[in-house]
Amino acid sequence: MRADLLFYTGLLGVSIGTAYWASKPSETGDESKVKILTIEPKNIAEISFSSNQADQGLQLEVSAKKRSDDERFDFNVVRTETPKPKSDKTAGKNPDGSPADPLGNDLGMDDEVDPSAPPKNPEADKNKPQSSPDPKAPPPQPVVTRERFLGNEKMGELLATLSPLVATRVFTNVDAKQLEEFGLKGATQKFTIKTLDGKTYGFLLGRKSYGSPHRFVLEENSDQKSQRVLLVDNGPFENLERAPKRLYDRRFVEEEFENISKAEIKTPSGLSAKISHTQKNKEGQLLWTEDEPDAQARPSYDSFMDRIQKLRLSQYATPEQEAKLKDLQPFLTMSLEKDGKVVDVISFKKLITDKPQYFVTSKFLKIHGEMIAPRVEPIEKDIDSVFKSKK
């Protein structure tokens, strides 16, 4: 026990020493806090992250491409998981299903024990595997999950870290042993940047620096002599790897409803109503009223618009759904104005298959996003009663 304690204490000391060595100012003439590259966010065409962890049966491809008609990024995420082979449930058992002795003597059978056999030693075999992959079982099939979504406002923060990309330490003339220490030997994760002028910058990702938010990365370069290992902030790589949780935009309009001054509501039945958002109550809160001078407060308008602004996307439409939604007439169209100008037009649609599905599109989205049906159904039902009644 004392020997184990001394061993692990020594190992901890080595780890702390390595971390300190990696973070301290360089004593070998290597550069420190160097600007590696500077790319203006508007010049980035695509960023991507890929990971191939064969030991875990996991492959991940994350790509974010800038749309041609605005500055938003369209994400595509492909996650491939290969389940581990099923174990042979008959391993470690006798033909009759009774447990087998790990030393080879069948328990529960009528065979006599050979007195000349060596004594049993269960401790020697307790760590032996009791099951193995079933050779007769079909190989497990990969499970592929695909997601498409638009990047949220945090994309700006991610892109800003590339203008410039700064390394706290730079290691040159790195040999094979050092690559292994940095977790870069046989690296299975990669971060890539492509610019609008056709340039590509690739970085292989190594291990994280102990006790810091930084990570070792290797610049991809055909000239092996000029390759450098960089210690850089891991934030951009981690955010891209976890894009479905961190960069998924669930908004359908960019402008806050608090800043909207007027809205026009239309339906296929011919209903048309224009409402104003300029009057305030005694507490200074803006109210939705008829679009006319000195209009009275309309609580039903406030309730309706409040439900609209609280809606969020649950997921984005698939290509098959987009094809069906493209020419589908909306059951509600809403134009939003600010400072006398229309800032967005929102269209709500209902796609009926085995059950109704509700979608929304807007100038901000340019594609369709699905919304949770129970939250939209009451809005659809209340349109006529809210805007036809003047009482």
Side-chain angles (χ1 to χ4, degrees), residues 101-340:
D101 187 292
L103 298 181
N105 297 316
D106 296 335
L107 304 177
M109 302 293 284
D110 294 331
D111 297 338
E112 294 184 2
V113 177
D114 184 356
S116 64
K120 298 178 182 179
N121 184 7
E123 288 296 317
D125 284 309
K126 69 178 182 179
N127 293 324
K128 285 187 178 181
Q130 298 300 304
S131 62
S132 59
D134 185 356
K136 297 181 181 179
Q141 296 300 307
V143 178
V144 181
T145 306
R146 302 178 186 275
E147 274 191 287
R148 181 200 178 186
F149 55 90
L150 294 175
N152 59 22
E153 58 269 39
K154 291 183 180 179
M155 274 298 295
E157 299 173 14
L158 189 156
L159 299 177
T161 61
L162 306 175
S163 182
L165 176 65
V166 177
T168 58
R169 290 204 70 192
V170 177
F171 304 87
T172 57
N173 302 318
V174 178
D175 58 28
K177 184 178 180 181
Q178 288 176 301
L179 284 178
E180 186 171 4
E181 291 175 352
F182 294 142
L184 289 163
K185 184 177 181 181
T188 60
Q189 294 187 330
K190 183 178 177 180
F191 177 76
T192 306
I193 308 166
K194 293 182 180 179
T195 62
L196 293 175
D197 57 2
K199 295 180 181 179
T200 299
Y201 303 89
F203 302 90
L204 295 176
L205 309 182
R207 69 171 179 83
K208 296 177 184 177
S209 177
Y210 181 80
S212 82
H214 296 86
R215 188 170 188 172
F216 295 100
V217 304
L218 175 65
E219 287 182 304
E220 279 197 322
N221 194 310
S222 58
D223 182 3
Q224 296 294 320
K225 293 183 180 179
S226 63
Q227 280 188 321
R228 300 182 296 178
V229 171
L230 317 170
L231 187 61
V232 300
D233 181 15
N234 185 50
F237 316 131
E238 187 175 280
N239 286 333
L240 202 57
E241 180 181 10
R242 302 182 182 182
K245 292 184 178 180
R246 297 186 177 182
L247 301 174
Y248 199 117
D249 201 343
R250 299 191 182 277
R251 299 172 298 166
F252 60 96
V253 290
E254 183 176 22
E255 193 67 57
E256 295 289 341
F257 269 53
E258 189 69 17
N259 301 325
I260 299 300
S261 56
K262 292 183 181 182
E264 186 174 12
I265 290 87
K266 292 184 177 182
T267 68
S269 64
L271 183 151
S272 180
K274 194 161 188 177
I275 58 178
S276 177
H277 197 219
T278 56
Q279 294 190 39
K280 296 181 180 181
N281 60 16
K282 294 179 180 180
E283 288 74 32
Q285 297 175 325
L286 285 168
L287 302 173
W288 286 100
T289 66
E290 297 287 345
D291 185 27
E292 55 188 40
D294 302 320
Q296 294 183 350
R298 295 293 300 273
S300 59
Y301 288 180
D302 288 317
S303 176
F304 186 88
M305 296 301 286
D306 184 61
R307 283 183 286 169
I308 291 285
Q309 70 173 336
K310 287 180 178 177
L311 292 173
R312 293 293 181 270
L313 303 182
S314 59
Q315 59 187 7
Y316 285 75
T318 64
E320 294 76 17
Q321 290 171 331
E322 282 286 358
K324 294 178 181 179
L325 291 163
K326 182 179 179 182
D327 298 320
L328 185 65
Q329 187 179 41
F331 65 83
L332 171 63
T333 301
M334 182 178 293
S335 298
L336 303 180
E337 293 184 19
K338 177 185 176 182
D339 300 329

